[in-house]
Amino acid sequence: MIDLRHGHYRDVLADATWDALICDPPYSERTHAGHDGGVKTAADLRDALARMEAKRAAGDVSAKLARGIRDQRTSIARAEREQTTQRRPLSYAAWTPDDVHEFVAWAAPRTRGWMVCMTDNVLAPVYAEAMEAAGRYVFAPLVWYAPGSRVRMTGDGPACWVCWIIVSRPRSQPYSTWGALPGGYAGPQDHARNGDKAHVGGKPLWLMRDLVRDYSRPGDVVCDPCAGWGTTLLAAEIEGRRGLGAEMDAETHATALARYQSPHVQQKIAAAEWLRGMDAGAGQASLLGGEE
């Protein structure tokens, strides 16, 4: 079951509690500025194409320029077709350290089990500090390593292929004997391989499914207070958990609800339920002495 509520998490999740919190809240101002600085409109792309074509008219017949012109025309066609930018700006505000402390102080008492927060290198130590202050056991940062996921549009240095994941648990015995977990995750920001399209800044479904499996148990309530298009809640549903979340933006919230009802997503959920049924049947047969 997916319960995605429209509004600020403080308001619409005020009376709720959950077993695991797994979320990808807004990042720092540095990350937002770096992302939005690369935004290019169709008009920007046409201006760049005009400069390239001027070089060709002036006698530059290099293969590199020819490829650039071809690729630029493709980008312009895509931007005009989608009536959007080549890289859309983030629609939500960056978080400050105060926002992180406020969020963790609000979420920790409502979280019975694991807290898993994705962030950038600026806010990673802030999450760790806030979780520690909330009385939780905090682990060394994990990473999601996604080769090729980001390119510095300014061309002034290395790209960032890492997202930090700050994980903490209660200090109680049930969670101290949870079991060994991965030290990180590796894979592309490839929504297409899941037949899915995520919102700007969203994480791929394969990654959120991995996190849900590692940090919750079947039947648990998994909460994402900054749900966006609801990938975490969808991952929870597919993995046999119950998804609970909040999204402030009305358009994004409506898009997430429509996404859940799409034939592709419904088929994915049904297939996961069928596989769980098959596994349960095999387990019962084994207990009764049947063939495995």
Side-chain angles (χ1 to χ4, degrees):
M1 181 182 72
I2 297 177
D3 180 4
L4 177 57
R5 305 174 185 181
H6 174 224
H8 193 279
Y9 65 82
R10 276 191 170 276
D11 300 325
V12 298
L13 299 175
D15 299 325
T17 60
W18 42 84
D19 298 293
L21 181 137
I22 302 175
C23 61
D24 181 33
Y27 291 6
S28 71
E29 180 59 38
R30 177 176 180 177
T31 296
H32 278 234
H35 180 282
D36 291 351
V39 172
K40 293 185 178 180
T41 65
D44 294 332
L45 297 171
R46 283 193 292 271
D47 289 343
L49 176 61
R51 291 192 292 272
M52 292 179 184
E53 291 178 332
K55 288 183 179 180
R56 184 168 62 179
D60 187 340
V61 294
S62 66
K64 180 179 179 180
L65 180 60
R67 285 195 302 271
I69 290 174
R70 182 182 66 248
D71 292 345
Q72 196 76 347
R73 286 173 176 167
T74 300
S75 297
I76 292 170
R78 183 186 306 115
E80 291 175 338
R81 181 173 64 251
E82 297 176 356
Q83 295 184 341
T84 184
T85 56
Q86 187 182 37
R87 181 193 281 185
R88 291 170 290 168
L90 297 169
S91 60
Y92 44 87
W95 272 16
T96 67
D98 287 344
D99 292 321
V100 172
H101 278 281
E102 179 182 333
F103 175 72
V104 172
W106 172 87
R110 294 167 168 80
T111 306
R112 290 182 284 273
W114 294 92
M115 293 182 68
V116 180
C117 296
M118 308 186 77
T119 188
D120 59 17
N121 66 306
V122 175
L123 294 180
V126 183
Y127 274 98
E129 178 185 353
M131 291 178 184
E132 185 74 28
R136 301 177 64 85
Y137 184 89
V138 183
F139 290 80
L142 309 180
V143 298
W144 166 40
Y145 174 63
S149 61
R150 297 173 186 172
V151 176
R152 287 188 67 85
M153 303 300 289
T154 55
D156 64 339
C160 177
W161 289 357
V162 167
C163 177
W164 296 98
I165 307 173
I166 308 302
V167 172
S168 69
R169 60 164 172 79
R171 295 181 180 272
S172 56
Q173 189 272 341
Y175 292 95
S176 65
T177 56
W178 187 268
L181 295 170
Y185 301 85
Q189 176 93 338
D190 186 359
H191 304 286
R193 80 176 192 176
N194 296 305
D196 228 349
K197 182 180 179 182
H199 69 107
V200 178
K203 297 300 181 285
L205 182 58
W206 70 264
L207 173 63
M208 305 318 292
R209 289 183 66 177
D210 282 357
L211 290 171
V212 166
R213 283 194 300 268
D214 288 342
Y215 293 100
S216 67
R217 302 296 195 212
D220 280 356
V221 177
V222 175
C223 182
D224 184 351
C226 306
W229 276 18
T231 301
T232 303
L233 308 190
L234 175 57
E237 176 76 4
I238 292 172
E239 296 301 329
R241 282 70 164 164
R242 291 175 289 164
L244 170 66
E247 171 53 40
M248 290 193 306
D249 183 76
E251 182 179 354
T252 303
H253 177 262
T255 301
L257 295 182
R259 177 191 185 196
Y260 295 148
Q261 297 305 315
S262 70
H264 166 74
V265 167
Q266 287 297 307
Q267 183 181 33
K268 190 182 291 289
I269 293 172
E273 290 176 349
W274 182 82
L275 287 173
R276 282 196 297 275
M278 292 291 290
D279 290 342
Q284 290 172 359
S286 178
L287 288 173
L288 294 172
E291 293 183 2
E292 295 188 15

